[in-house]
Amino acid sequence: MMTARDARNLSPEALEELRRRAVAAVESGSSRTEVARLLGVSRKTVGAWLRAYRRTGEESFRPKVRGRRPGEQLALSPAQQAWTVKTIAAGTPDEHDLPHALWTRQAVAELVNREYRILLSPATVGQYLARWGLIDEPYLREMMRARVTAVVPRQRAVAAVDEAWIPEAEVLWVAWTLPHAAPERTGATRKKNLLTGFRNYFGDVNVLQAISNRGAVFFQARVGPFDSAHTEGFLVRLMDQFGRPLNVIICRWPAEHHGILRAWPRRHSRRISLRFTLN
């Protein structure tokens, strides 16, 4: 007895030829059972090919691209994604009983697993963060590779900061962004993300994000702008994370909130040093 082959394992060209032969044979008077036996496929498969041909003609012979529509392959549903972003924006991980001071890929993975019993790899979480528009990791890595560390601040609001570089301190590149309003870095059109579509639902989401010399990304998000307590708390959490002082390079910061930067070095003498990129 001939075993029916799995036609799904054939190349697109071979599958198209097999479909044509099967339909031609049946249309010429052969039975579906006989054609299935001769070609080594199931009678059910021959019947499906014949019905498709009679419905769509020649188009039925060409194999369709397998796979799901964009978005269907995601582990999290739109509702689960929306909940995750809203939870991230509602507070830091420790406020949600997670053992992390700031959000990281690992912290988000643990949040999702606890809530939905879905395991996400750090790489997958990174893809979600980019999809949601929360983290602009390519920008942070670009700033880190540029190694811009000695630019004098031009704004009067931050003219009083201490620019002395602290020996043995952790170097961090820090940015304050508004994801739903940020244009694509190519300068063409605005990139759509989850926050764009749910802006009315989330409100104005702001994100503080930092990348270390080792490429680790830490962030904090909230609805509405950060105040001086929030931003200072972000740096304190970073200092606790690394257990050492910080040499902070500000890459992106809203102009109307530059005044917040003045208090950090004075309040944390010898623990925080600020410098600025040209952006």
Side-chain angles (χ1 to χ4, degrees):
M1 179 181 294
M2 180 179 292
T3 302
R5 77 177 89 176
D6 188 350
R8 294 173 297 180
N9 294 328
L10 297 175
S11 68
E13 296 77 15
L15 182 55
E16 180 176 348
E17 177 60 24
L18 193 65
R19 285 173 170 168
R20 288 183 181 277
R21 290 176 58 191
V23 170
V26 174
E27 291 289 280
S28 298
S30 299
S31 69
R32 299 181 188 182
T33 300
E34 183 179 8
V35 172
R37 181 178 61 80
L38 290 173
L39 297 182
V41 297
S42 69
R43 183 181 184 280
K44 182 178 179 181
T45 296
V46 172
W49 290 347
L50 187 63
R51 288 192 300 273
Y53 171 74
R54 290 173 177 173
R55 186 172 62 252
T56 62
E58 286 283 314
E59 182 65 25
S60 69
F61 295 138
R62 289 183 280 275
K64 303 295 188 297
V65 177
R66 298 190 184 103
R68 291 169 284 187
R69 292 189 297 272
E72 289 183 339
Q73 66 272 37
L74 297 176
L76 300 179
S77 69
Q80 290 169 333
Q81 293 181 60
W83 178 88
T84 303
V85 174
K86 186 177 182 181
T87 301
I88 290 172
T92 52
D94 52 353
E95 293 178 300
H96 297 293
D97 298 320
L98 292 168
H100 303 276
L102 292 168
W103 291 108
T104 62
R105 293 183 180 191
Q106 181 61 36
V108 175
E110 291 177 16
L111 174 70
V112 170
N113 185 43
R114 187 182 70 184
E115 181 69 17
Y116 298 114
R117 294 294 184 266
I118 296 175
L119 293 174
L120 299 178
S121 69
T124 300
V125 172
Q127 293 168 3
Y128 273 115
L129 293 174
R131 179 183 179 85
W132 297 335
L134 276 176
I135 299 301
D136 191 352
E137 192 167 330
Y139 170 79
L140 291 175
R141 293 188 180 278
E142 180 181 309
M143 292 294 99
M144 180 178 67
R145 286 192 296 268
R147 312 292 292 183
V148 181
T149 60
V151 178
V152 177
R154 292 173 296 177
Q155 297 83 4
R156 291 184 179 179
V158 293
V161 301
D162 177 13
E163 294 181 67
W165 209 237
I166 303 174
E168 306 301 323
E170 187 72 26
V171 180
L172 291 168
W173 285 259
V174 174
W176 174 344
T177 61
L178 289 82
H180 62 261
E184 269 193 287
R185 293 175 56 244
T186 58
T189 57
R190 289 186 177 181
K191 180 186 294 184
K192 286 189 175 182
N193 53 52
L194 187 68
L195 295 187
T196 303
F198 286 83
R199 182 173 181 179
N200 292 334
Y201 176 67
F202 289 118
D204 292 325
V205 177
N206 291 251
V207 180
L208 286 171
Q209 47 192 303
I211 187 169
S212 73
N213 264 325
R214 302 174 186 84
V217 176
F218 306 85
F219 69 98
Q220 181 178 343
R222 74 182 310 270
V223 175
F226 295 99
D227 58 24
S228 58
H230 295 132
T231 54
E232 184 176 353
F234 180 69
L235 289 188
V236 169
R237 286 169 181 266
L238 285 171
M239 282 191 287
D240 291 342
Q241 172 73 34
F242 292 101
R244 63 175 69 182
L246 304 179
N247 286 322
V248 177
I249 304 169
I250 303 297
C251 303
R252 186 183 295 166
W253 201 269
E256 64 272 25
H257 297 292
H258 274 145
I260 290 176
L261 302 175
R262 288 181 298 180
W264 290 350
R266 288 201 301 268
R267 193 169 296 143
H268 298 278
S269 177
R270 299 181 182 179
R271 297 188 69 200
I272 297 178
S273 171
L274 292 186
R275 295 193 183 186
F276 303 81
T277 68
L278 289 173
N279 295 338

